[in-house]
Amino acid sequence: MSADPTAVRAVGAVPTASRVLLAAFELAAAVDLVSLLAGADLGHQLAKPLLMPLLAAYAVTRGAPRLLTAALLFGWGGDVFLLSDADWAFLVGMGSFAGGHVCYLVHFGRRRTSPLLGAGYAAALVGTVALLWPDLPAELRIPVAGYSLLLTAMAYRASSLGLLAGLGGALFLLSDTLIATGVAEWPQLPAPDFWVMLTYIAAQYLLTMGVLRAMYGERRTTV
């Protein structure tokens, strides 16, 4: 039986609510990034906690898998806890992000990925942890190493969904590496929090779009 063209178009149609939520996410992202560049801490404190709920709400209106929504909400938890400079908040925030990475990994499943890319990520993981290790606070070395392993696995497996998700995974790894260099008190780029948030926001956005694109592509093949 042939597919109904109207039904096929409807699968990929973007509802008005989705457009509004995506625009709100983009506005919150702009406010957050401009606030960081301007040194307006209040703007960052207000905008950052809005980012992942808005992106998650957008994903829900697009019929996203529950694991994607859960990953984004775990990211929101990490965002909120990392607004504090306390060591315990850093660890809880890292744990929340780790929960999000687990959700992504479960969603990616056993899709095929490049062994060569995996080798590159493995080399990057070992090299980065080895370089950071002496400069990290002793109580954070093991948690950071374990988290880095999980994050690198997520970044690598994200490539199984295509270019968008693969770039998202790579940017997530870059963003958290920038955070780790700050914790290790390495020399930083000007406005370091801006670069952390820019790469993080782009990472979550690309991962979301990559998951949605893969989902719609799979649906079209079965309509």
Side-chain angles (χ1 to χ4, degrees):
M1 183 173 61
S2 61
D4 180 354
T6 303
V8 172
R9 286 195 299 271
V11 168
V14 181
T16 300
S18 300
R19 297 180 186 276
V20 171
L21 287 166
L22 186 58
F25 165 76
E26 292 169 348
L27 177 60
V31 170
D32 187 53
L33 294 174
V34 170
S35 297
L36 289 171
L37 285 176
D41 190 58
L42 179 60
H44 174 59
Q45 296 278 336
L46 293 175
K48 185 180 181 183
L50 297 176
L51 293 168
M52 292 306 106
L54 287 170
L55 188 57
Y58 164 78
V60 168
T61 63
R62 297 298 313 279
R66 292 181 181 178
L67 284 170
L68 172 60
T69 305
L72 294 173
L73 293 179
F74 272 119
W76 170 72
D79 289 345
V80 171
F81 281 109
L82 290 187
L83 285 171
S84 170
D85 293 329
D87 288 344
W88 69 266
F90 177 80
L91 288 171
V92 174
M94 187 166 59
S96 188
F97 281 122
H101 298 326
V102 170
C103 291
Y104 279 128
L105 282 168
V106 173
H107 176 72
F108 298 152
R110 297 184 177 181
R111 294 177 177 87
R112 300 182 68 177
T113 47
S114 165
L116 183 60
L117 181 62
Y121 270 120
L125 170 65
V126 172
T128 301
V129 172
L131 289 171
L132 287 170
W133 188 269
D135 298 322
L136 290 171
E139 66 275 12
L140 292 181
R141 288 172 179 169
I142 297 300
V144 167
Y147 174 81
S148 298
L149 176 61
L150 181 61
L151 169 60
T152 304
M154 185 282 292
Y156 167 54
R157 295 291 300 136
S159 65
S160 66
L161 290 189
L163 181 60
L164 287 182
L167 286 174
L171 286 174
F172 214 134
L173 181 60
L174 174 59
S175 179
D176 281 8
T177 300
L178 292 174
I179 293 175
T181 62
V183 173
E185 298 184 350
W186 285 12
Q188 298 291 294
L189 295 168
D193 289 343
F194 169 81
W195 297 108
V196 167
M197 286 305 299
L198 177 64
T199 49
Y200 169 69
I201 291 169
Q204 293 281 38
Y205 172 81
L206 289 171
L207 282 165
T208 298
M209 295 305 171
V211 170
L212 292 175
R213 174 172 291 185
M215 179 183 68
Y216 286 134
E218 290 168 5
R219 285 186 180 180
R220 284 196 180 98
T221 62
T222 59
V223 172

